[in-house]
Amino acid sequence: MMLLRSPLRLKVRQVDQFCVFDLFHPSGQELSATLSVPEALAERHQNWQQIYLKRYELQTRARVGSKSGSGTPISYDWDQELRIAETALLHEFDRWLGQPELIGIREAIQQAVEQAAQTRLRQETIDIAPVTILLECSPLSLARLPWETWKLVPKDTALGTVRIARTCTTQITPTTSVSSPRRGKIRILAIFAAAPELNHGLDQKILRSLHPVAEIEFVHCQTVPAAANNGTQMSEKQRIANAIADERGWDILFFAGHSNEEANTGGKLELAPQTTLAMSEIEPQLCFAKQRGLQLAVFNSCCGLHIAESLIRLGLPQVVVMREQIQDAVAHKFLEQFCHSLIGFNDVHAAVLEACHYLARENIAYPSAHLIPSLFRHPDPKVRLFRMEPSALKRTWQQWRPTRWEAIAISTVSLLSLMAPVQELLSEGRYWSQAVYRQTTHQFPPAASPPVTLLEIDQASIDRKGIDAYKVKPMSRAYLAELVDRLRQLRVGVVGVDYLLDGSTKEDTTLSTAVQAAIQQQTWLVFATRQNDAGQPIRVTPAIAQPNWILQGNIDFVGWNVMLPDQPDCRETCPFAYQLALAQTLRSDPAAPQPQSNPVMSLHSRARQYLEQLNDGSKTLAFLKQPQFPLSLQPIIDFSLPPKRVYRSLAAWDFLERPLEDTRLTALKAQVVIIGSGGYDQADDSFPVPLAVRYWRSVKNQTEQNHQTLRSQVFPGAAAHAYTVHHLLTQHKLLWIPDLWLIGVAIITGKGVSLLLIGKKHSQRQTLAWLSGGGTIVYSAIGLQSYVSASVLLPWLLPSALFWLYILPALRRTA
């Protein structure tokens, strides 16, 4: 969106040896100054003009002829002479315009620039049009000067902040209407004079670069034989006039060829040798074309000051001309850069400036060429500068593309969302808030007996058993055997051992005996595995259990994700908790394979083979068989559930000292039992306590339920496995929606609201601000409830922060 501002009008007229400068501000303010015209300025301009003509004359047609007209040797370095003359001219021009008499006018212009800069800061999402000065010069000798080079602002000011365009000095016909841009492709009429010495083929090639956005019609003038009568010449002129007055209308009129100044006829075009067309001859056709939407005329030909003035008098919005003679190669370079800028959806003034800046950079090859082009504009402030309109998609992108501030905000928030430490911090806070929300609203899953019991070897168990310190790490296998055997006596169906038992000890036989006895009773045993630093698996030693007898599972975690197999058949290894859930499911299925002492096929293979053969099983079996989730979403552990609803905790010493008939022990038969660390000093799998778990530990009446673990300042890995087994068996699938997804939504909503704020009154801005604040609160409430009701975790902090980073700058701006 472009915020237009009315141009300043500067009228410069010469009276005898003085110049009168009149500045007209859109607000109605007028400033005047009178300045004497130094003779040196006219002399240096004349000198520059003569050298300019010599330089480009020698490079073009003078080389073909026998003489250049001046008798100067071709080997003379006109390039260097022209650069010296240009420097002298611009220096004298700057000195003249820098006189104290013009301080008031220069300050008024600089004040307008400062006001535009302040508006740009306030209205960041709007493009502020540069300050434009419409210059009227009389007489023609004054108009020939390079006014576009006038340094009106400091050197460190951004390029294009002040733009000088020209207009005519006589009575201007007001425009009949302000033309709206043509929808779809624009129409261009390109007229090429019959001039064999000019490379019109290159002109056509450059114009064809506009084909993606323009429909171009080429009209080539025909050479009229010398013996032809006036009727043939008139026929060629009429053909051009008819093309201009096409009923379909044109957006751009382009001419390439020879032209010259002619005050009485408004300039003239050479359509072909001996065929000249005066602008006054086609005034009716030009007026008709203007009514049909003609907005821009480009004359890539010589000496076009009179042509431009005559067209502006007719009410044409914009005209681009060359004030001096132009070499063919320079004309091509100008046209190429001009079209390149137009197709980039810049306005015609910016396109002319970019083409001139290119020629200035190429001053070695084309000296002084950047001083030649000029843009003439109709002074009516309602007339918009011509600009090629992008497609609907591109217009939408231009409106919605991020500003510099927004791009920084997006990059920062997106980067934060990808940083693991930040994610851990955010997840901790979210788990805690969800736990508080559950407790406050009393929204818990239906009461049921926890499917898991955590048999914890804590420091009290070690002390009561009198286990030597060197048998704690690794854990005493005799003690593990005692626990396994007692679980066998209780006929517990699924037992997980959350200890790595890869090495050999003297106690292996004791544990092996207990394992074999349990397997003979068809107890599912799942042992812990892990990959070492070299990527090799650490498995239970065969001296304790043969791989075919048991299941083995990886105990590593990635964050607090519910660990699932990469592939349904678990070719390498399955996660530890997943194997426990699978064993508990298959244990209750009469048709499922059961543990055996000397099986032909491994228990793992038989279980996977059985799952592959299932067609219509229970939901749990289907879930365990195909653990993939839509859009690669990863389920996470839900610490907002209180531990007492997920698993029961039983200290190992308490388990061994209770009688077998104890009701708490007999209830273990239907559960998954995990033997693991209870947080003793040398335990390897202790983690910092999640904030939500810490909250549950602080809730009244929770201490006695899990007394030993709750007093611990660590969170054992076995507890995380217990949460995972619970989620798998109860199909509690909590999905974390990636932050980047909601960041994308925040970008759209934030940009939409910021666009709505543009141009709104203060009261309307306040209303939108309150609505935005209310919407943020509502989204927070939806996020809290969706976590509980739909088991979907919607990120809140980063998307909400990005949303407000979008709209806060817009709220701070004045209406």
Side-chain angles (χ1 to χ4, degrees):
M1 183 177 178
M2 175 70 76
L3 183 63
L4 301 176
R5 53 175 63 248
S6 299
L8 282 71
R9 297 281 300 278
L10 180 61
K11 186 174 182 179
V12 183
R13 64 188 188 277
Q14 186 173 353
V15 180
D16 296 330
Q17 298 301 315
F18 295 91
C19 268
V20 180
F21 291 75
D22 295 314
L23 180 67
F24 302 92
H25 196 278
S27 63
Q29 179 185 3
E30 296 183 16
L31 292 174
S32 295
T34 302
L35 195 63
S36 62
V37 181
E39 293 182 2
L41 180 61
E43 293 173 358
R44 292 186 179 181
H45 179 262
Q46 184 179 9
N47 180 57
W48 168 83
Q49 190 178 48
Q50 290 174 351
I51 298 175
Y52 172 84
L53 294 175
K54 288 296 181 183
R55 190 278 182 198
Y56 286 105
E57 180 185 15
L58 284 174
Q59 191 170 341
T60 53
R61 299 195 245 323
R63 292 177 183 244
V64 179
S66 59
K67 294 184 179 180
S68 65
S70 64
T72 306
I74 294 177
S75 60
Y76 196 77
D77 190 358
W78 288 109
D79 283 28
Q80 183 63 20
E81 289 297 316
L82 182 54
R83 292 189 193 96
I84 294 173
E86 176 189 329
T87 302
L89 170 62
L90 295 182
H91 176 75
E92 182 64 27
F93 192 54
D94 290 342
R95 189 194 66 79
W96 179 53
L97 295 176
Q99 296 297 313
E101 290 86 344
L102 294 180
I103 288 179
I105 290 178
R106 290 197 301 269
E107 288 181 347
I109 294 173
Q110 290 173 6
Q111 184 179 4
V113 172
E114 291 173 0
Q115 291 175 352
Q118 292 173 2
T119 305
R120 186 177 291 107
L121 290 174
R122 293 194 304 267
Q123 307 285 351
E124 185 181 348
T125 58
I126 304 179
D127 293 329
I128 308 299
V131 175
T132 300
I133 299 173
L134 281 184
L135 179 68
E136 305 177 23
C137 292
S138 63
L140 191 64
S141 59
L142 204 59
R144 294 187 192 280
L145 294 174
W147 290 93
E148 289 82 358
T149 65
W150 189 1
K151 298 180 179 61
L152 289 165
V153 291
K155 292 182 179 180
D156 57 350
T157 305
L159 196 65
T161 303
V162 176
R163 308 193 299 194
I164 296 178
R166 301 178 181 234
T167 191
C168 62
T169 58
T170 55
Q171 184 64 38
I172 300 172
T173 303
T175 55
T176 56
S177 63
V178 180
S179 301
S180 299
R182 189 185 304 272
R183 293 301 178 186
K185 288 188 173 184
I186 65 169
R187 285 175 47 80
I188 301 176
L189 174 63
I191 301 173
F192 295 98
E197 68 278 8
L198 303 181
N199 187 359
H200 288 324
L202 185 54
D203 287 320
Q204 291 186 67
K205 181 179 178 181
I206 295 170
L207 287 174
R208 286 194 178 99
S209 67
L210 301 176
H211 263 310
V213 293
E215 176 187 334
I216 308 172
E217 184 171 321
F218 297 101
V219 176
H220 294 270
C221 298
Q222 303 298 321
T223 301
V224 179
N229 55 26
N230 289 337
T232 304
Q233 293 182 355
M234 292 303 296
S235 175
E236 188 64 17
K237 292 182 181 182
Q238 190 62 48
R239 189 167 72 93
I240 300 302
N242 292 341
I244 294 173
D246 191 294
E247 286 284 346
R248 294 169 295 175
W250 307 102
D251 295 280
I252 299 177
L253 171 63
F254 174 82
F255 175 79
H258 298 296
S259 62
N260 210 338
E261 295 166 354
E262 177 60 55
N264 295 327
T265 62
K268 56 185 178 181
L269 310 177
E270 184 181 295
L271 303 181
Q274 303 179 13
T275 305
T276 301
L277 178 66
M279 299 305 295
S280 58
E281 295 181 80
I282 53 173
E283 279 190 6
Q285 289 80 10
L286 289 170
C287 289
F288 182 81
K290 178 176 70 73
Q291 293 172 357
R292 291 289 180 177
L294 183 61
Q295 301 178 66
L296 172 64
V298 180
F299 291 85
N300 206 14
S301 55
C302 301
C303 305
L305 283 175
H306 282 153
I307 294 173
E309 290 185 354
S310 64
L311 291 178
I312 295 297
R313 289 192 196 98
L314 291 176
L316 201 65
Q318 294 112 41
V319 184
V320 178
V321 296
M322 308 298 163
R323 299 191 316 279
E324 302 285 349
Q325 293 186 21
I326 187 78
Q327 186 208 21
D328 195 35
V330 174
H332 293 148
K333 286 297 179 182
F334 171 82
L335 181 62
E336 181 180 10
Q337 298 302 315
F338 178 76
C339 290
H340 178 74
S341 183
L342 277 184
I343 205 171
F345 308 112
N346 292 313
D347 63 56
V348 63
H349 203 159
V352 172
L353 289 178
E354 287 191 12
C356 291
H357 294 152
Y358 170 82
L359 293 174
R361 293 193 301 270
E362 299 294 324
N363 198 41
I364 294 178
Y366 311 108
S368 289
H370 66 285
L371 303 178
I372 307 305
S374 285
L375 170 69
F376 279 72
R377 286 185 55 181
H378 195 284
D380 187 347
K382 297 179 182 178
V383 177
R384 293 175 176 268
L385 281 170
F386 175 78
R387 182 196 299 265
M388 289 185 176
E389 291 295 323
S391 64
L393 183 61
K394 288 184 177 179
R395 284 198 303 272
T396 302
W397 164 245
Q398 287 180 345
Q399 186 179 25
W400 284 76
R401 65 182 177 184
T403 63
R404 181 175 179 272
W405 164 257
E406 292 166 352
I408 293 173
I410 293 171
S411 301
T412 303
V413 173
S414 299
L415 182 62
L416 288 174
S417 73
L418 297 174
M419 296 173 65
V422 175
Q423 280 298 312
E424 292 176 5
L425 183 63
L426 293 177
S427 63
E428 282 286 286
R430 186 57 183 274
Y431 283 138
W432 176 84
S433 63
Q434 290 294 158
V436 174
Y437 182 73
R438 278 190 188 274
Q439 179 70 7
T440 303
T441 59
H442 301 287
Q443 297 186 72
F444 298 101
S449 177
V452 186
T453 290
L454 185 57
L455 191 54
E456 297 177 316
I457 302 177
D458 54 10
Q459 192 62 47
S461 300
I462 293 172
D463 295 340
R464 282 174 177 262
K465 190 63 179 178
I467 301 175
D468 295 332
Y470 69 90
K471 291 185 178 181
V472 174
K473 187 177 180 180
M475 177 53 62
S476 168
R477 296 180 185 182
Y479 192 56
L480 293 176
E482 187 176 354
L483 295 175
V484 170
D485 192 63
R486 189 164 176 82
L487 290 170
R488 177 192 60 80
Q489 295 175 34
L490 291 169
R491 308 190 72 81
V492 175
V494 179
V495 177
V497 181
D498 189 20
Y499 284 98
L500 294 173
L501 304 173
D502 54 316
S504 297
T505 69
K506 295 179 180 180
E507 298 176 344
D508 288 353
T509 303
T510 304
L511 181 55
S512 176
T513 301
V515 168
Q516 292 184 50
I519 292 174
Q520 289 176 359
Q521 196 173 286
Q522 293 191 332
T523 300
W524 291 75
L525 291 173
V526 181
F527 284 86
T529 66
R530 174 179 284 170
Q531 286 189 338
N532 59 20
D533 295 337
Q536 300 298 321
I538 302 174
R539 302 182 185 275
V540 62
T541 175
I544 295 175
Q546 291 295 324
N548 287 355
W549 304 350
I550 59 172
L551 297 178
Q552 300 186 67
N554 194 316
I555 59 174
D556 288 329
F557 282 96
V558 177
W560 290 125
N561 290 342
V562 172
M563 302 306 295
L564 296 171
D566 295 332
Q567 298 175 342
D569 57 0
C570 288
R571 293 178 183 176
E572 296 297 329
T573 182
C574 276
F576 181 72
Y578 178 84
Q579 292 285 54
L580 288 170
L582 176 63
Q584 179 72 349
T585 304
L586 295 179
R587 171 199 173 198
S588 59
D589 185 352
Q594 300 299 322
Q596 299 176 8
S597 297
N598 296 299
V600 177
M601 187 183 297
S602 70
L603 180 59
H604 171 78
S605 299
R606 287 186 291 135
R608 300 313 307 179
Q609 188 178 67
Y610 175 73
L611 288 178
E612 291 298 329
Q613 295 173 353
L614 287 178
N615 293 322
D616 298 320
S618 67
K619 292 182 179 180
T620 303
L621 276 174
F623 171 70
L624 292 172
K625 182 180 176 182
Q626 295 184 349
Q628 295 86 359
F629 287 87
L631 303 175
S632 299
L633 294 177
Q634 180 67 44
I636 58 175
I637 297 175
D638 185 3
F639 289 122
S640 75
L641 294 176
K644 71 174 184 178
R645 290 181 176 266
V646 175
Y647 63 88
R648 289 176 177 170
S649 181
L650 184 60
W653 67 265
D654 191 17
F655 169 72
L656 293 173
E657 293 180 3
R658 286 176 182 265
L660 293 175
E661 297 79 14
D662 187 283
T663 55
R664 190 169 182 187
L665 297 189
T666 57
L668 297 179
K669 183 178 180 180
Q671 293 184 321
V672 174
V673 177
I674 301 176
I675 302 173
S677 161
Y680 53 87
D681 294 340
Q682 300 182 53
D684 288 328
D685 63 342
S686 297
F687 301 93
V689 183
L691 211 57
V693 176
R694 192 181 298 275
Y695 168 77
W696 290 122
R697 291 181 180 181
S698 67
V699 173
K700 188 179 179 180
N701 297 327
Q702 292 294 310
T703 304
E704 293 183 0
Q705 177 67 27
N706 293 321
H707 61 281
Q708 191 65 25
T709 301
L710 298 183
R711 284 198 296 267
S712 176
Q713 295 303 309
V714 296
F715 185 69
H721 292 305
Y723 265 96
T724 303
V725 173
H726 168 273
H727 294 351
L728 292 173
L729 291 177
T730 61
Q731 297 191 52
H732 185 80
K733 297 173 286 186
L734 175 63
L735 299 181
W736 183 306
I737 303 301
D739 283 69
L740 284 177
W741 293 13
L742 273 300
I743 286 173
V745 175
I747 290 172
I748 296 172
T749 54
K751 188 67 175 183
V753 173
S754 65
L755 291 176
L756 285 175
L757 288 168
I758 294 174
K760 292 291 189 296
K761 297 179 180 179
H762 181 68
S763 59
Q764 294 174 318
R765 287 171 175 269
Q766 282 189 324
T767 301
L768 284 173
W770 282 107
L771 289 175
S772 298
T776 305
I777 295 173
V778 169
Y779 171 68
S780 175
I782 292 174
L784 289 170
Q785 188 58 41
S786 67
Y787 185 108
V788 174
S789 302
S791 294
V792 174
L793 193 157
L794 298 175
W796 178 83
L797 183 60
L798 291 181
S800 298
L802 182 57
F803 172 80
W804 282 98
L805 286 174
Y806 256 92
I807 69 171
L808 281 176
L811 288 172
R812 288 199 302 266
R813 301 180 194 120
T814 58

